Coordinates of all heavy atoms in Angstrom, one line a residue:
M462 N 97.1 64.6 199.0 CA 97.4 65.4 197.8 C 98.8 65.2 197.3 O 99.7 65.2 198.2 CB 97.2 66.9 198.0 CG 95.8 67.3 198.5 SD 94.5 66.9 197.3 CE 94.9 68.0 196.0
T463 N 99.0 65.0 196.1 CA 100.4 64.9 195.6 C 100.7 66.3 194.9 O 99.8 67.1 194.7 CB 100.5 63.8 194.5 OG1 99.7 64.2 193.3 CG2 100.0 62.5 195.0
D464 N 102.0 66.5 194.7 CA 102.4 67.7 194.0 C 101.7 67.9 192.7 O 101.3 69.0 192.2 CB 103.9 67.8 193.8 CG 104.6 67.9 195.1 OD1 103.9 68.3 196.1 OD2 105.8 67.8 195.2
Q465 N 101.5 66.8 192.0 CA 100.9 66.8 190.7 C 99.5 67.4 190.7 O 99.1 68.1 189.8 CB 100.8 65.4 190.1 CG 100.5 65.3 188.6 CD 101.8 65.5 187.8 OE1 102.9 65.1 188.2 NE2 101.7 66.2 186.6
D466 N 98.8 67.1 191.8 CA 97.4 67.6 191.8 C 97.2 69.1 192.0 O 96.2 69.6 191.7 CB 96.7 66.9 193.1 CG 96.6 65.4 192.9 OD1 96.4 65.0 191.8 OD2 96.6 64.7 193.9
T467 N 98.3 69.7 192.4 CA 98.2 71.2 192.6 C 99.0 72.0 191.7 O 99.2 73.2 191.9 CB 98.6 71.5 194.1 OG1 99.9 71.1 194.3 CG2 97.7 70.8 195.1
A468 N 99.6 71.4 190.6 CA 100.5 72.1 189.7 C 99.8 72.4 188.4 O 99.2 71.5 187.8 CB 101.8 71.2 189.4
L469 N 99.9 73.7 188.0 CA 99.5 74.1 186.7 C 98.0 73.7 186.5 O 97.7 73.2 185.4 CB 100.4 73.6 185.6 CG 101.9 74.1 185.7 CD1 102.7 73.4 184.6 CD2 101.9 75.6 185.7
T470 N 97.2 74.0 187.4 CA 95.8 73.7 187.3 C 95.0 74.9 186.9 O 95.4 76.1 187.1 CB 95.2 73.2 188.7 OG1 95.6 74.1 189.7 CG2 95.8 71.8 189.0
P471 N 93.8 74.8 186.2 CA 93.0 75.9 185.8 C 92.5 76.7 186.9 O 92.3 78.0 186.8 CB 91.9 75.3 185.0 CG 92.3 73.9 184.7 CD 93.3 73.5 185.7
Q472 N 92.3 76.1 188.0 CA 91.9 76.8 189.2 C 92.9 76.5 190.3 O 93.4 75.3 190.4 CB 90.5 76.4 189.7 CG 89.4 76.7 188.6 CD 88.1 76.0 188.9 OE1 88.1 74.8 189.3 NE2 87.0 76.6 188.6
P473 N 93.1 77.4 191.3 CA 94.0 77.0 192.4 C 93.3 75.8 193.2 O 92.1 75.9 193.5 CB 94.0 78.3 193.3 CG 93.7 79.4 192.4 CD 92.7 78.8 191.4
V474 N 94.1 74.8 193.5 CA 93.6 73.7 194.3 C 94.3 73.7 195.6 O 95.5 73.8 195.7 CB 94.0 72.4 193.6 CG1 93.5 71.1 194.4 CG2 93.3 72.3 192.2
C475 N 93.5 73.8 196.7 CA 94.1 73.8 198.0 C 94.9 72.6 198.3 O 94.5 71.5 198.1 CB 92.9 73.9 199.1 SG 93.5 73.7 200.8
P476 N 96.2 72.8 198.7 CA 97.1 71.7 198.9 C 96.8 70.9 200.2 O 97.3 69.8 200.4 CB 98.5 72.3 199.0 CG 98.2 73.7 199.5 CD 96.9 74.1 198.9
H477 N 95.9 71.5 201.0 CA 95.5 70.8 202.2 C 94.3 69.9 202.0 O 94.3 68.7 202.5 CB 95.2 71.9 203.3 CG 96.3 72.8 203.6 ND1 97.4 72.4 204.3 CD2 96.6 74.0 203.3 CE1 98.3 73.4 204.4 NE2 97.8 74.4 203.8
C478 N 93.3 70.3 201.3 CA 92.0 69.6 201.3 C 91.6 69.3 199.8 O 90.7 68.5 199.6 CB 90.9 70.3 202.0 SG 90.3 71.8 201.2
G479 N 92.2 69.9 198.8 CA 91.9 69.6 197.5 C 90.8 70.5 196.9 O 90.3 70.3 195.8
H480 N 90.3 71.5 197.7 CA 89.2 72.4 197.3 C 89.7 73.2 196.1 O 90.8 73.7 196.1 CB 88.8 73.3 198.4 CG 87.8 74.3 198.1 ND1 86.5 74.0 197.8 CD2 87.9 75.7 198.0 CE1 85.8 75.1 197.5 NE2 86.7 76.1 197.6
K481 N 88.8 73.3 195.1 CA 89.2 74.1 193.9 C 88.6 75.5 194.1 O 87.4 75.7 194.4 CB 88.5 73.6 192.6 CG 89.1 72.2 192.2 CD 88.6 71.9 190.8 CE 89.3 70.7 190.2 NZ 88.8 69.4 190.8
E482 N 89.5 76.5 194.1 CA 89.0 77.9 194.4 C 88.5 78.5 193.1 O 89.1 78.5 192.0 CB 90.2 78.7 194.9 CG 90.8 78.3 196.2 CD 89.9 78.6 197.3 OE1 88.9 79.3 197.2 OE2 90.2 78.0 198.4
R483 N 87.2 79.0 193.1 CA 86.6 79.6 191.9 C 86.7 81.1 191.9 O 86.3 81.7 190.9 CB 85.1 79.2 191.9 CG 85.0 77.6 191.8 CD 83.6 77.2 191.7 NE 83.4 75.7 191.9 CZ 83.9 74.8 191.0 NH1 84.4 75.3 189.8 NH2 83.8 73.6 191.2
D484 N 87.2 81.7 192.9 CA 87.2 83.2 193.0 C 88.6 83.7 192.9 O 88.9 84.9 193.3 CB 86.6 83.7 194.3 CG 85.1 83.3 194.4 OD1 84.4 83.2 193.4 OD2 84.7 83.1 195.6
A485 N 89.5 82.9 192.3 CA 90.9 83.4 192.2 C 91.1 84.7 191.4 O 92.0 85.4 191.6 CB 91.8 82.3 191.7
W486 N 90.1 84.9 190.5 CA 90.2 86.2 189.7 C 90.1 87.4 190.6 O 90.5 88.5 190.2 CB 89.2 86.1 188.6 CG 87.8 86.0 189.1 CD1 87.1 84.9 189.3 CD2 86.9 87.1 189.4 NE1 85.9 85.1 189.8 CE2 85.7 86.5 189.8 CE3 87.0 88.5 189.3 CZ2 84.6 87.3 190.2 CZ3 85.9 89.2 189.7 CH2 84.7 88.6 190.1
E487 N 89.5 87.2 191.8 CA 89.4 88.4 192.7 C 90.7 88.6 193.6 O 90.8 89.5 194.2 CB 88.2 88.1 193.6 CG 86.9 88.1 193.0 CD 85.8 87.9 193.9 OE1 86.0 87.2 195.0 OE2 84.6 88.3 193.7
W488 N 91.6 87.6 193.5 CA 92.8 87.7 194.4 C 93.7 88.6 193.8 O 93.8 88.9 192.6 CB 93.4 86.3 194.5 CG 92.6 85.3 195.2 CD1 91.3 85.4 195.7 CD2 92.9 83.9 195.3 NE1 90.9 84.2 196.2 CE2 91.8 83.3 196.0 CE3 94.0 83.1 195.0 CZ2 91.9 81.9 196.3 CZ3 94.0 81.8 195.3 CH2 93.0 81.2 196.0
N489 N 94.5 89.2 194.7 CA 95.6 90.2 194.3 C 96.9 89.5 194.1 O 97.5 89.1 195.1 CB 95.7 91.3 195.3 CG 96.7 92.3 195.0 OD1 97.3 92.3 193.9 ND2 97.1 93.2 195.9
F490 N 97.3 89.3 192.9 CA 98.6 88.7 192.6 C 99.7 89.7 192.3 O 100.8 89.4 191.9 CB 98.5 87.7 191.4 CG 97.7 86.5 191.7 CD1 96.3 86.4 191.5 CD2 98.4 85.4 192.1 CE1 95.7 85.3 191.8 CE2 97.7 84.2 192.4 CZ 96.3 84.1 192.2
G491 N 99.4 91.0 192.5 CA 100.3 92.1 192.2 C 100.0 92.7 190.9 O 99.0 92.4 190.2
N492 N 100.9 93.6 190.4 CA 100.6 94.3 189.2 C 101.0 93.6 188.0 O 100.5 93.9 186.9 CB 101.5 95.6 189.3 CG 100.9 96.6 190.3 OD1 99.8 96.6 190.6 ND2 101.8 97.3 190.9
L493 N 101.8 92.5 188.1 CA 102.2 91.8 186.9 C 101.2 90.6 186.7 O 100.5 90.2 187.6 CB 103.6 91.2 187.0 CG 104.6 92.3 187.3 CD1 106.0 91.7 187.5 CD2 104.7 93.3 186.1
L494 N 101.2 90.1 185.5 CA 100.3 88.9 185.2 C 100.7 87.7 186.1 O 99.9 87.0 186.5 CB 100.5 88.5 183.7 CG 99.7 89.4 182.7 CD1 100.0 89.0 181.3 CD2 98.3 89.4 182.9
E495 N 102.1 87.6 186.2 CA 102.5 86.5 187.0 C 102.9 87.0 188.4 O 103.4 88.1 188.6 CB 103.7 85.8 186.4 CG 103.4 85.3 185.0 CD 104.3 84.1 184.6 OE1 105.3 83.8 185.3 OE2 104.0 83.5 183.6
G496 N 102.5 86.3 189.4 CA 102.7 86.7 190.8 C 102.3 85.6 191.7 O 101.8 84.6 191.3
S497 N 102.3 85.9 193.0 CA 101.9 84.9 194.0 C 100.9 85.6 195.0 O 100.9 86.8 195.2 CB 103.1 84.3 194.7 OG 103.8 85.3 195.5
H498 N 100.1 84.7 195.5 CA 99.1 85.2 196.5 C 99.1 84.2 197.7 O 99.1 83.0 197.4 CB 97.7 85.3 195.8 CG 96.6 85.4 196.8 ND1 95.9 84.4 197.4 CD2 96.0 86.6 197.2 CE1 95.0 84.9 198.2 NE2 94.9 86.2 198.1
R499 N 99.0 84.7 198.9 CA 99.0 83.9 200.1 C 97.6 84.1 200.7 O 97.3 85.3 201.0 CB 100.2 84.2 201.0 CG 100.3 83.2 202.1 CD 101.6 83.4 202.8 NE 101.8 82.4 203.9 CZ 101.5 82.6 205.1 NH1 101.0 83.8 205.5 NH2 101.7 81.7 206.1
G500 N 96.9 83.1 201.0 CA 95.6 83.3 201.6 C 95.1 82.0 202.2 O 95.8 81.0 202.2
D501 N 93.9 82.1 202.8 CA 93.3 81.0 203.4 C 92.3 80.3 202.5 O 91.6 80.9 201.7 CB 92.5 81.4 204.7 CG 93.4 82.1 205.7 OD1 94.6 81.8 205.7 OD2 92.9 82.9 206.5
C502 N 92.2 79.0 202.6 CA 91.3 78.2 201.8 C 89.9 78.5 202.3 O 89.6 78.6 203.4 CB 91.6 76.7 202.1 SG 90.4 75.6 201.3
N503 N 89.0 78.6 201.3 CA 87.6 78.9 201.6 C 86.9 77.7 202.2 O 85.8 77.8 202.7 CB 86.9 79.4 200.3 CG 87.2 80.8 200.0 OD1 87.5 81.6 200.8 ND2 87.2 81.1 198.7
S504 N 87.5 76.5 202.0 CA 86.8 75.3 202.5 C 87.4 74.9 203.9 O 86.6 74.8 204.8 CB 87.1 74.2 201.5 OG 86.4 73.0 201.9
C505 N 88.7 74.7 204.0 CA 89.3 74.2 205.2 C 89.9 75.2 206.1 O 90.2 75.0 207.3 CB 90.3 73.0 204.9 SG 91.8 73.6 204.2
G506 N 90.1 76.4 205.5 CA 90.7 77.5 206.4 C 92.2 77.5 206.5 O 92.8 78.4 207.1
E507 N 92.9 76.5 205.9 CA 94.3 76.4 206.0 C 94.9 77.4 205.1 O 94.3 77.8 204.0 CB 94.8 75.0 205.7 CG 94.4 74.0 206.6 CD 95.2 74.0 208.0 OE1 96.3 74.6 207.9 OE2 94.8 73.4 209.0
T508 N 96.1 77.9 205.4 CA 96.8 78.9 204.6 C 97.7 78.2 203.5 O 98.3 77.2 203.8 CB 97.7 79.8 205.4 OG1 96.9 80.4 206.4 CG2 98.4 80.9 204.6
F509 N 97.6 78.8 202.3 CA 98.6 78.3 201.2 C 98.9 79.4 200.3 O 98.2 80.5 200.3 CB 98.0 77.1 200.5 CG 96.7 77.4 199.7 CD1 96.8 77.7 198.4 CD2 95.5 77.3 200.4 CE1 95.6 78.0 197.7 CE2 94.3 77.6 199.7 CZ 94.4 77.9 198.3
T510 N 99.9 79.2 199.5 CA 100.4 80.2 198.6 C 100.1 79.7 197.1 O 100.4 78.5 196.8 CB 101.9 80.5 198.7 OG1 102.2 80.9 200.0 CG2 102.4 81.4 197.7
T511 N 99.5 80.6 196.4 CA 99.2 80.3 194.9 C 100.1 81.1 194.0 O 100.2 82.3 194.2 CB 97.8 80.6 194.6 OG1 96.9 79.8 195.5 CG2 97.4 80.3 193.2
E512 N 100.8 80.5 193.1 CA 101.6 81.2 192.1 C 100.8 81.2 190.8 O 100.3 80.1 190.4 CB 102.9 80.5 191.9 CG 103.8 80.6 193.1 CD 105.2 80.1 192.9 OE1 105.6 79.8 191.7 OE2 105.9 79.8 193.9
R513 N 100.6 82.3 190.3 CA 99.9 82.4 189.0 C 100.9 82.4 187.8 O 101.8 83.3 187.8 CB 99.0 83.7 188.9 CG 98.2 83.8 187.7 CD 97.2 84.9 187.8 NE 97.7 86.2 187.9 CZ 97.0 87.3 188.1 NH1 95.7 87.2 188.2 NH2 97.6 88.5 188.2
E514 N 100.7 81.5 187.0 CA 101.6 81.4 185.8 C 100.7 81.7 184.6 O 99.6 81.1 184.4 CB 102.3 80.0 185.7 CG 103.1 79.7 186.9 CD 103.9 78.5 186.8 OE1 104.4 78.2 185.7 OE2 104.0 77.7 187.8
V515 N 101.3 82.5 183.6 CA 100.4 82.9 182.5 C 101.2 82.5 181.2 O 102.4 82.7 181.1 CB 100.3 84.5 182.6 CG1 99.5 84.9 181.4 CG2 99.6 84.9 183.9
S516 N 100.4 82.0 180.3 CA 100.9 81.8 178.9 C 100.1 82.7 178.0 O 98.9 82.9 178.2 CB 100.6 80.3 178.5 OG 101.4 79.4 179.3
V517 N 100.8 83.3 177.1 CA 100.2 84.2 176.1 C 100.2 83.7 174.7 O 101.2 83.1 174.3 CB 101.0 85.6 176.2 CG1 100.4 86.5 175.1 CG2 100.9 86.2 177.5
Y518 N 99.1 83.7 174.0 CA 99.0 83.3 172.7 C 98.5 84.4 171.8 O 97.7 85.2 172.3 CB 98.0 82.1 172.6 CG 98.4 80.9 173.4 CD1 97.9 80.8 174.7 CD2 99.2 79.9 172.9 CE1 98.3 79.7 175.5 CE2 99.6 78.8 173.7 CZ 99.1 78.8 175.0 OH 99.5 77.7 175.8
Y519 N 98.9 84.5 170.6 CA 98.4 85.4 169.7 C 97.8 84.8 168.5 O 98.3 83.7 168.0 CB 99.5 86.4 169.2 CG 100.1 87.2 170.2 CD1 101.3 86.8 170.9 CD2 99.6 88.4 170.5 CE1 101.8 87.6 171.9 CE2 100.1 89.2 171.6 CZ 101.3 88.8 172.2 OH 101.8 89.6 173.2
T520 N 96.7 85.3 167.9 CA 96.1 84.8 166.7 C 96.1 86.0 165.7 O 95.6 87.1 166.1 CB 94.7 84.3 166.9 OG1 94.8 83.2 167.9 CG2 94.1 83.8 165.6
T521 N 96.5 85.8 164.5 CA 96.4 86.8 163.5 C 95.6 86.4 162.3 O 95.5 85.1 162.0 CB 97.8 87.2 163.0 OG1 98.4 86.1 162.3 CG2 98.6 87.7 164.1
K522 N 95.0 87.3 161.6 CA 94.4 87.0 160.3 C 94.5 88.3 159.5 O 94.6 89.4 160.0 CB 92.9 86.7 160.5 CG 92.1 87.8 161.2 CD 90.6 87.3 161.4 CE 89.8 88.3 162.2 NZ 88.5 87.9 162.4
A523 N 94.5 88.1 158.2 CA 94.6 89.3 157.3 C 93.4 90.1 157.4 O 92.3 89.6 157.5 CB 94.8 88.7 155.8
S524 N 93.6 91.4 157.5 CA 92.5 92.3 157.6 C 92.7 93.6 156.7 O 93.7 93.8 156.2 CB 92.2 92.7 159.1 OG 93.4 93.2 159.6
Ligands
ZN1213 ZN1 91.5 73.6 201.9

């Protein structure tokens, strides 16, 4: 795995085996939108830390 493979991905990618985690919405990243979570890979069992980064967009229309 290169750093590129695990950076800013739609799903957390295990840095050990490349497994894409599909249940990250269940993880506890803390009270803020952005935070970090440390846990075990569901595939290989190795521990890694995931940082959640959030971008916010707004759309407006006359109403
Ligand atoms: Zn893994």
Side-chain angles (χ1 to χ4, degrees):
M462 302 298 294
T463 67
D464 289 348
Q465 194 81 33
D466 294 328
T467 59
L469 299 177
T470 51
Q472 298 162 325
V474 177
C475 173
H477 300 286
C478 72
H480 175 70
K481 291 189 174 79
E482 299 288 349
R483 301 185 189 285
D484 298 329
W486 58 273
E487 294 180 333
W488 295 358
N489 180 10
F490 288 89
N492 292 329
L493 302 175
L494 285 176
E495 302 206 349
S497 63
H498 170 273
R499 189 166 182 271
D501 298 336
C502 174
N503 285 329
S504 181
C505 72
E507 294 283 342
T508 303
F509 63 94
T510 299
T511 300
E512 293 184 16
R513 183 169 64 186
E514 301 188 38
V515 177
S516 296
V517 177
Y518 301 91
Y519 294 95
T520 300
T521 63
K522 58 183 178 183
S524 55

